[in-house]
Structure formats: structure tokens, C-alpha cells
Amino acid sequence: MALKTISLFTSILLFLLQVCLSDDEKKVVKSSYWFFDSAYPLSDIDFTFYTHLLCAQAFVDPNTFQLNISNSKTAQFSVFTQTLQQKNPSLKTLLSITGGIADDSALSSMARNASTRKTFIDSSITIGRPYNFHGLVLDWEFSSTTTDMTNLGLLFKEWREAVEKESKNSNKPQLLLTVAVYFSSVFRSLSYPAEAMENNLDWIKVMAFDFGAPTWKPNLTEAPAALYNPFSEVSGDSGISSWIRAGFPARKIVFGLPYYGYAWKLKDTNNHGFLAPANGADITADGALGYTHIRNRTIGQGSAITAFNYTFATDYCYNGTTWVGYDDVKSILAKVLYAKGKGLLGYFAWRVDLDDNWTLSKTV
């Protein structure tokens, strides 16, 4: 009788453990962007690797401050969620919103007063809900004034209030709210409104990449997405630590992973590590290369040498004068383990079409 009781008790414990583990797994965000301009078919995405997919991009009209989706994108955006959920019904989708390519002035103007914020907020819900998106993500990485930071906090508070009200009226789950932010909680000596962000956002997406590129650092090879950096405060670890010190909870941070890298032209083929002398960008105008290009063309040429740098926890390769800093399997794995160790919510990748046969997605 005692043995049966122990056996039953053990079975119950194992069952509860499985339930708990399943619940924890469901809380993890595994996400990537789909970029309309890439012309990558939605049907080609392997949906088994993701919990969330982000549809890029809708723009804030600089004159009306309403959310705008161009006519060329309307057809695919309107069926984005429906198409993805046919293969993975549990997949969540978010609409990515920006003020313009490399231009946040429309967002700054929109957030300046309550009436224009309301115009934007109302239009985001009016578009997001009928298109069946589960959430909205604001890509405003460079709030460059104290006023911007203050207005950002007000925007999130009013946005949360609006989606709560809409949810009650529609009897549907609240739209998720998130934002893409600078890798650090401080941008140009200005602090993000961490408390308002914690109170009103479901999570934040920390852009832990683009730390170095030949367009703005042409003379030395760099680690574009270093997890660690003993020479400066510019690294993924430094940024995450900054957000946590600011009081933002680790459980609401999603870590950014780049599925691309940057190529420099070496000055001396015998000097080919990090911080080696370089002559600007190689291969493309800005040096940017997707992971699939790096694997199949740069490395695939046969004579390229690949290496993993343990100091920066990132990869690089070189072939003649071509030198590429990027994330490969080892650095992606190091970042995933780092995120788990820090108790982060998950990861997001830019972007789904740049992976090579799902190599990096499988690693995550």
C-alpha cells in the first residue's frame, strides 16, 4: 500500500512538473521579423521555430499622424495572420510601426501632444484589430531629446489605456504592446522612461546589434553584435545590464539577434582579427550581408577561414581582403544561453529571410 502511495505521489509530481515546464515554455518569446520589401513568401517560413512573427512595416504619416499601410502592402498585410495560423494556429503576430527609414521625426512630432498621440493610437487599433494582428510594436529606437523620452512614457500609458478599453468593448484579448529600443537604457545621456515602459508594455525588444559597421567605422574591423566587449560599454551584456539596473525587469526583455553581418576590406591580409586595419566596406555599399549570403557565397567560396572569438562571443570570417563580422551558430548559442541565464523573456531576430536553411533558427 505504501509503495502504491509513493508511486502515485511520484506520478503526480512528474505530471505537475511537466505542466509547469510547459507553462514556462509558452511564456518564452521566440520571434522574428518578416520584411515586406524582401519579397520573401510567407508560405516559405518554417513556423515551427517561432511563437511570434512581426510584420514590417507600417508608417506614421508625418502630416496626419495616422498609421498608414501603403496600397502595395495592403493585400499581404491583411492576410498575414490568417496565412501564418493556417500552419501554426498558436502563432501570434504583431504589426511593426515606424516613423520612416532612419527618420524618427514623424514619431517625435506625433508624440508631442495628447491629440496627435490619440490620433495615432486610435488608428493603430483601427488597423491592427481588423487585420487580425495580436499586437503592435513601435520601432522608435532613437528618442533623442528629454521631451521625446517624456512623451514616450505618456504615449505608452495612453496606448495601454486605449487597448484595455477596446478589449472590453470588443470582448477580445488585449492587443500586445511592445517597442524596439536602443541596446542601452540610456541614449545620448538620456534615460528611457523605464517605469512607464514596465507598467504599460508587454515587453521591450533590445536592439543588441549594429555596434559597428564600415559606413561609420571604416578604419577597423569590428564585432557588429558583440555579446561582451572588454574595451567599451558597447555590447549586448552591457546593454541588458543597463536596462536591469534601470529597474526594468529581465522577464520583460527580448534580446535582439542579427541574422546578418558587415564586411570590411582588410588593409593587410596577414592582420585579420578584430580591430584589424581596414579600408571601409567590402562587397556592398554599406558592407551589410545576410547570413545566407555569408554562408553560401563568402564562406562557400571554399578558401574562407571562419573563427569564433571568445572575448567578444561572436564569429568572423575572412577570405583574401574580405573580412566579415557576423553571428553564426556558436555566437547565437552563446547569446541564447546568456538570455536564459539572465532570465530574459526570449529573443527576436532581424530577419526571417536572412537565415540559411533555418540554421540559426534551429540553434535557438
Side-chain angles (χ1 to χ4, degrees):
M1 182 67 179
L3 289 176
K4 288 183 179 180
T5 302
I6 294 172
S7 178
L8 177 60
F9 181 68
T10 303
S11 298
I12 292 173
L13 281 179
L14 289 172
F15 172 76
L16 290 175
L17 179 60
Q18 289 173 342
V19 170
C20 290
L21 289 174
S22 297
D23 288 343
D24 288 342
E25 182 66 22
K26 289 176 183 177
K27 295 175 184 177
V28 175
V29 170
K30 302 175 183 178
S31 60
S32 186
Y33 277 87
W34 173 82
F35 188 48
F36 175 86
D37 293 341
S38 70
Y40 189 80
L42 289 175
S43 57
D44 286 358
I45 299 174
D46 190 331
F47 308 101
T48 60
F49 297 119
Y50 305 107
T51 61
H52 299 73
L53 276 174
L54 287 63
C55 179
Q57 290 165 315
F59 293 86
V60 176
D61 188 297
N63 299 309
T64 66
F65 304 116
Q66 292 185 331
L67 193 60
N68 178 55
I69 297 176
S70 65
N71 292 334
S72 62
K73 299 178 181 179
T74 300
Q76 283 195 276
F77 279 34
S78 64
V79 298
F80 184 81
T81 301
Q82 176 186 347
T83 302
L84 299 185
Q85 288 196 322
Q86 286 177 353
K87 292 187 176 180
N88 183 357
S90 64
L91 190 73
K92 304 299 183 184
T93 62
L94 292 89
L95 177 62
S96 172
I97 301 166
T98 184
I101 302 300
D103 180 13
D104 287 337
S105 60
L107 298 179
S108 179
S109 298
M110 174 272 292
R112 197 164 293 161
N113 61 69
S115 62
T116 51
R117 290 195 298 269
K118 185 177 188 306
T119 296
F120 161 72
I121 289 168
D122 290 347
S123 68
S124 72
I125 296 172
T126 300
I127 288 178
R129 186 63 86 185
Y131 277 43
N132 295 312
F133 287 105
H134 300 96
L136 305 163
V137 51
L138 182 65
D139 285 292
W140 189 0
E141 301 166 46
F142 307 115
S143 305
S144 55
T145 68
T146 302
T147 301
D148 276 349
M149 290 297 189
T150 300
N151 292 338
L152 196 60
L154 293 172
L155 173 65
F156 294 145
K157 180 178 181 295
E158 293 161 8
W159 210 358
R160 173 57 63 190
E161 291 171 351
V163 299
E164 287 177 349
K165 181 178 179 180
E166 187 276 338
S167 175
K168 291 178 181 178
N169 292 337
S170 66
N171 199 29
K172 294 180 179 179
Q174 284 186 37
L175 291 168
L176 298 168
L177 293 181
T178 182
V179 63
V181 293
Y182 190 56
F183 84 98
S184 171
S185 67
V186 178
F187 176 65
R188 294 180 180 174
S189 301
L190 300 172
S191 297
Y192 277 91
E195 183 177 357
M197 295 167 73
E198 177 187 358
N199 292 338
N200 298 295
L201 298 176
D202 291 283
W203 66 77
I204 63 171
K205 304 189 301 87
V206 174
M207 310 291 281
F209 44 80
D210 285 349
F211 299 147
T215 48
W216 63 86
K217 293 186 177 181
N219 299 321
L220 293 173
T221 60
E222 293 273 354
L227 179 57
Y228 303 105
N229 190 333
F231 307 110
S232 81
E233 292 297 310
V234 181
S235 70
D237 173 60
S238 176
I240 295 300
S241 298
S242 168
W243 278 104
I244 294 173
R245 284 196 305 271
F248 198 86
R251 68 180 183 280
K252 297 183 77 170
I253 295 175
V254 176
F255 193 81
L257 305 175
Y259 286 179
Y260 65 94
Y262 287 99
W264 281 260
K265 184 177 292 184
L266 291 172
K267 281 187 176 181
D268 180 359
T269 56
N270 293 315
N271 189 355
H272 43 64
F274 283 109
L275 306 179
N279 284 318
D282 192 38
I283 302 178
T284 64
D286 62 358
L289 298 174
Y291 180 69
T292 185
H293 184 290
I294 296 168
R295 292 295 305 173
N296 296 323
R297 297 179 65 177
T298 307
I299 297 175
Q301 292 177 3
S303 55
I305 297 174
T306 62
F308 175 76
N309 183 284
Y310 287 88
T311 300
F312 295 95
T314 193
D315 294 88
Y316 67 96
C317 66
Y318 55 95
N319 188 357
T321 59
T322 300
W323 187 98
V324 183
Y326 69 109
D327 274 7
D328 210 325
V329 170
K330 287 184 178 179
S331 47
I332 291 291
L333 181 58
K335 290 178 178 180
V336 171
L337 294 175
Y338 171 87
K340 288 185 176 182
K342 286 286 187 178
L344 306 188
L345 179 61
Y347 82 93
F348 77 93
W350 181 273
R351 58 193 203 253
V352 65
D353 60 291
L354 299 179
D355 201 355
D356 178 38
N357 196 30
W358 309 107
T359 298
L360 300 182
S361 299
K362 290 175 184 176
T363 301
V364 176

